[in-house]
Amino acid sequence: MTEGLVKHVSSVSYYSRENRRLVVTIVVCITSVLALISFYQSCTSCDSAWTSLNILGSRTSFLASPLRAQQEGGPSETILATSFSSPAPSTVSHEISSISNISNPSSGSEEECVSSNVSHASSEVLKNSEDVRGKEDAVSSTYNDSKKTEADEDDIREQVDSSPASADNHLLMAMDLEKVFPNSSKLELELLAAKLMIEDATAEDADQTLYAPSYVDVAAFSLSYKLMENLFRVYTYKDGNSSFLRAGPLTGIYATEGQFITKLMHSRFIQEDPLNAHMFFLPYSVAEMVDTLYVEDSYDMSPLTDFVRGYVNTIAQNYPFWNRTQGSDHFFVSCHDWGPATAREHKQLNTNAVKVVCNANSSEEFVLGRDASLPEIYLHSKPLEVGGPPASSRAILAFFAGQMHGHVRPILLKHWADKDPQMKVFEHVPPTNRSGVLEYILHMKHSKYCLCPAGYEVNSPRIVEAIYYDCVPVIIADNFILPFSDVLNWSTFSVTVPEAEIPNLKDILLGIPEKSYRTMQRRLSKIRQHFMWHHKPVKYDAFHMILHSVWMSRLNNIHP
């Protein structure tokens, strides 16, 4: 508005020089007053509550820069433009601080405060990203025939048409980029155009069916998802006839692995011509390999690692695509605990390829900004009814039942099993005339918080089960990178507690204001769609969200 006034003033020829100077002075004064009012409101209104949600680990910039990711413990590689990156695990002190701030906005309802500040938070994200852009060097292409470039994102923006960020303008932007990178492949420029558009997403790009406060940047995600649907294509290798190729378990604890493999093979994202593919899928199932190749109680993983090494070497010998990028545009999917370990005997697979895994442990092979975290979803042969009673009908403060896998669960039982009637912590659900599964579900449905401690590895199906039954997840797994955390703001519908704080668990949960708890609980139903499997994939479901994670990883590694 101020710029428009100044422009109007300067264009009126009959103003005398003194009058113009007077008008400009008035405009400057008005601008200063408005700025002071805005600053005052940001300090006293719900803006401060929204800002407090920016928690390391439970909320990250959808468009965080590689420099920022490196400072926060992310990957050391510098890439062209800003990168998508996953967060580091959060700390309970920051988590509880944000929850307390949510519950006490100075004006308006909590829901209105958070929703009204999404665009403000998005602008701050972009501002922070712009601050570090000037410090980033453009990446050298890893393609053998690609030309090195020293242009950074700001240089690119000066040379391309800054059309509104919509999918319809993607082709025009890609054509403009051809002038900047005349020797680059069309596919890479398509991806770069998509990335630049996502970074410039505005509120107009936001899908109104999505509940904005539960997302890192709902506008950027909405546009990114739309571009993925329109552009992203994957080539799947058809070599080999083993039973664990192009198939996987469709039920049980590793179902996510098999469901994704099967649904991708029959999806419209498959590109039969590898020359027109953005990513290359290695369609082996680690869970099926364990059932077929592993000798029980041998503790010897060499049959699995030998197969994977030989399979990838065969792919590299028979096709030019692996050697072209040393595997950086290839990916595999595994929900088995051993998924990341099966890649250890092939150096390029382990260090370059994208691991899409349930065992997303940042202290091990998982690389922030490149790899993707899978939700661990236990699928039964018969679908279970999701949803649960409202907060007022949940008499149990916290609930856990499960086997004593790993080092965290024994500590949990030591401090809380049979210690407090509000803390229902068991190794096995107490027997009743109902089935064990039904009794387990009923406990979840009547608990405010569901405890999700790490087992042998960091992930647990309890996290998704808690979301299914409207029980706020309490994640107790250090170094765990939460699924879709580059899209979802987990701090708005879950609680993260460090393993060292298990003795203080009850105090931590009781310290969360009731209003904040109810807000988190209501939001579970709004993000549940992202963790649902369907016979035929639907928009925003688990299949598409996993594929979107792969899409964003690819945007992290563009080689113009």
Side-chain angles (χ1 to χ4, degrees):
M1 180 181 74
T2 302
E3 293 176 359
L5 286 172
V6 173
K7 183 177 180 181
H8 178 69
V9 168
S10 62
S11 66
V12 179
S13 60
Y14 56 82
Y15 272 154
S16 67
R17 180 176 298 178
E18 290 77 15
N19 288 341
R20 286 200 299 270
R21 188 175 301 165
L22 175 62
V23 173
V24 171
T25 302
I26 293 173
V27 171
V28 171
C29 291
I30 293 174
T31 302
S32 301
V33 171
L34 291 175
L36 289 172
I37 293 173
S38 177
F39 176 78
Y40 174 78
Q41 289 177 339
S42 69
C43 296
T44 59
S45 70
C46 53
D47 281 4
S48 57
W50 175 252
T51 303
S52 70
L53 291 175
N54 193 359
I55 305 164
L56 177 63
S58 55
R59 181 171 190 264
T60 185
S61 164
F62 189 83
L63 300 172
S65 70
L67 178 61
R68 178 177 176 181
Q70 183 175 348
Q71 291 170 342
E72 296 178 353
S76 59
E77 299 86 7
T78 301
I79 62 175
L80 180 67
T82 53
S83 74
F84 300 98
S85 63
S86 300
S90 62
T91 60
V92 68
S93 59
H94 289 160
E95 192 82 46
I96 301 305
S97 173
S98 74
I99 293 170
S100 300
N101 286 335
I102 291 175
S103 65
N104 296 301
S106 60
S107 62
S109 68
E110 184 277 333
E111 301 286 349
E112 292 170 348
C113 278
V114 175
S115 179
S116 67
N117 282 282
V118 172
S119 59
H120 169 71
S122 300
S123 65
E124 288 299 314
V125 166
L126 292 174
K127 179 181 178 182
N128 292 337
S129 180
E130 291 289 344
D131 289 341
V132 299
R133 263 185 209 138
K135 303 176 183 179
E136 299 169 7
D137 296 327
V139 71
S140 298
S141 172
T142 57
Y143 289 125
N144 295 333
D145 58 351
S146 293
K147 185 178 181 180
K148 292 184 178 181
T149 177
E150 296 180 355
D152 62 15
E153 183 180 343
D154 292 328
D155 295 331
I156 295 171
R157 290 184 186 279
E158 291 177 1
Q159 301 175 62
V160 300
D161 177 32
S162 56
S163 302
S166 67
D168 296 336
N169 294 308
H170 175 266
L171 180 59
L172 294 175
M173 181 175 283
M175 292 174 63
D176 285 339
L177 286 169
E178 289 183 15
K179 303 172 185 176
V180 184
F181 300 102
N183 298 322
S184 297
S185 72
K186 180 180 178 181
L187 289 176
E188 294 301 302
L189 295 182
E190 284 180 353
L191 295 173
L192 180 56
K195 186 171 187 176
L196 294 175
M197 290 176 66
I198 293 166
E199 291 173 349
D200 289 337
T202 66
E204 295 179 357
D205 295 303
D207 185 338
Q208 299 303 312
T209 67
L210 300 175
Y211 185 66
S214 293
Y215 295 84
V216 174
D217 186 330
V218 71
F221 168 61
S222 300
L223 182 56
S224 177
Y225 188 96
K226 184 176 181 180
L227 289 167
M228 177 195 75
E229 287 186 311
N230 293 340
L231 298 173
F232 197 37
R233 294 298 176 263
V234 176
Y235 179 78
T236 301
Y237 291 105
K238 300 176 178 62
D239 303 64
N241 297 312
S242 300
S243 60
F244 40 79
L245 289 171
R246 296 175 293 282
L250 300 179
T251 57
I253 195 170
Y254 304 127
T256 294
E257 183 176 310
Q259 288 284 344
F260 180 83
I261 293 173
T262 302
K263 286 175 169 50
L264 178 62
M265 296 294 298
H266 297 91
S267 75
R268 62 187 179 87
F269 295 96
I270 290 295
Q271 172 58 257
E272 296 297 337
D273 182 359
L275 294 175
N276 292 319
H278 301 104
M279 287 288 278
F280 297 82
F281 181 43
L282 304 171
Y284 59 80
S285 166
V286 175
E288 292 290 348
M289 273 198 289
V290 172
D291 290 342
T292 306
L293 300 178
Y294 178 70
V295 178
E296 190 174 0
D297 298 327
S298 68
Y299 302 101
D300 181 12
M301 291 182 59
S302 61
L304 284 72
T305 57
D306 289 347
F307 169 81
V308 171
R309 183 177 63 249
Y311 176 74
V312 174
N313 285 338
T314 299
I315 293 297
Q317 292 170 4
N318 294 342
Y319 300 86
F321 311 110
W322 180 276
N323 294 326
R324 185 179 65 180
T325 65
Q326 289 77 54
S328 67
D329 55 0
H330 288 60
F331 72 102
F332 70 90
V333 173
S334 174
C335 207
H336 195 282
D337 292 350
W338 295 351
T342 60
R344 289 173 183 167
E345 297 302 316
H346 193 290
K347 183 177 180 180
Q348 290 182 347
L349 178 66
N350 194 40
T351 59
N352 297 339
V354 178
K355 305 181 189 73
V356 187
V357 293
C358 287
N359 184 18
N361 190 333
S362 63
S363 68
E364 298 179 359
E365 288 93 352
F366 192 91
V367 177
L368 294 166
R370 183 195 69 192
D371 298 331
S373 177
L374 277 178
E376 191 165 327
I377 304 173
Y378 195 112
L379 288 184
H380 300 266
S381 55
K382 183 180 179 181
L384 300 175
E385 183 178 351
V386 300
S392 58
S393 300
R394 295 174 180 260
I396 303 171
L397 176 63
F399 165 68
F400 169 80
Q403 299 180 14
M404 292 297 100
H405 296 162
H407 69 281
V408 178
R409 297 181 187 181
I411 298 174
L412 181 65
L413 259 71
K414 174 185 176 182
H415 287 278
W416 295 109
D418 300 321
K419 297 291 196 310
D420 192 304
Q422 290 183 285
M423 304 286 287
K424 302 292 185 182
V425 177
F426 313 105
E427 185 171 359
H428 302 285
V429 178
T432 64
N433 57 353
R434 292 183 286 262
S435 69
V437 173
L438 181 58
E439 190 65 35
Y440 178 84
I441 293 174
L442 287 175
H443 270 76
M444 278 195 155
K445 287 187 173 183
H446 288 88
S447 299
K448 296 176 66 174
Y449 298 97
C450 286
L451 307 180
C452 306
Y456 287 132
E457 301 297 347
V458 290
N459 208 340
S460 167
R462 286 166 185 78
I463 297 173
V464 175
E465 289 168 348
I467 292 172
Y468 281 177
Y469 303 121
D470 292 338
C471 182
V472 175
V474 179
I475 299 152
I476 312 173
D478 293 352
N479 305 311
F480 178 33
I481 305 302
L482 293 164
F484 317 140
S485 52
D486 41 10
V487 171
L488 295 176
N489 183 357
W490 278 81
S491 69
T492 65
F493 55 85
S494 70
V495 179
T496 297
V497 176
E499 296 167 8
E501 294 294 331
I502 288 176
N504 304 317
L505 191 54
K506 182 180 179 181
D507 291 339
I508 290 170
L509 298 180
L510 290 177
I512 299 173
E514 181 67 16
K515 184 177 179 181
S516 298
Y517 157 70
R518 289 174 180 264
T519 298
M520 288 190 289
Q521 201 238 10
R522 286 195 303 270
R523 287 175 173 167
L524 294 173
S525 63
K526 301 180 186 298
I527 54 89
R528 186 184 296 137
Q529 61 177 327
H530 301 315
F531 300 89
M532 300 292 294
W533 285 106
H534 302 274
H535 179 68
K536 184 178 180 180
V538 302
K539 190 173 185 178
Y540 296 135
D541 68 353
F543 168 74
H544 286 98
M545 291 297 289
I546 294 168
L547 193 66
H548 183 264
S549 295
V550 178
W551 157 255
M552 289 209 298
S553 177
R554 183 63 176 88
L555 294 184
N556 255 349
N557 296 278
I558 298 174
H559 313 284

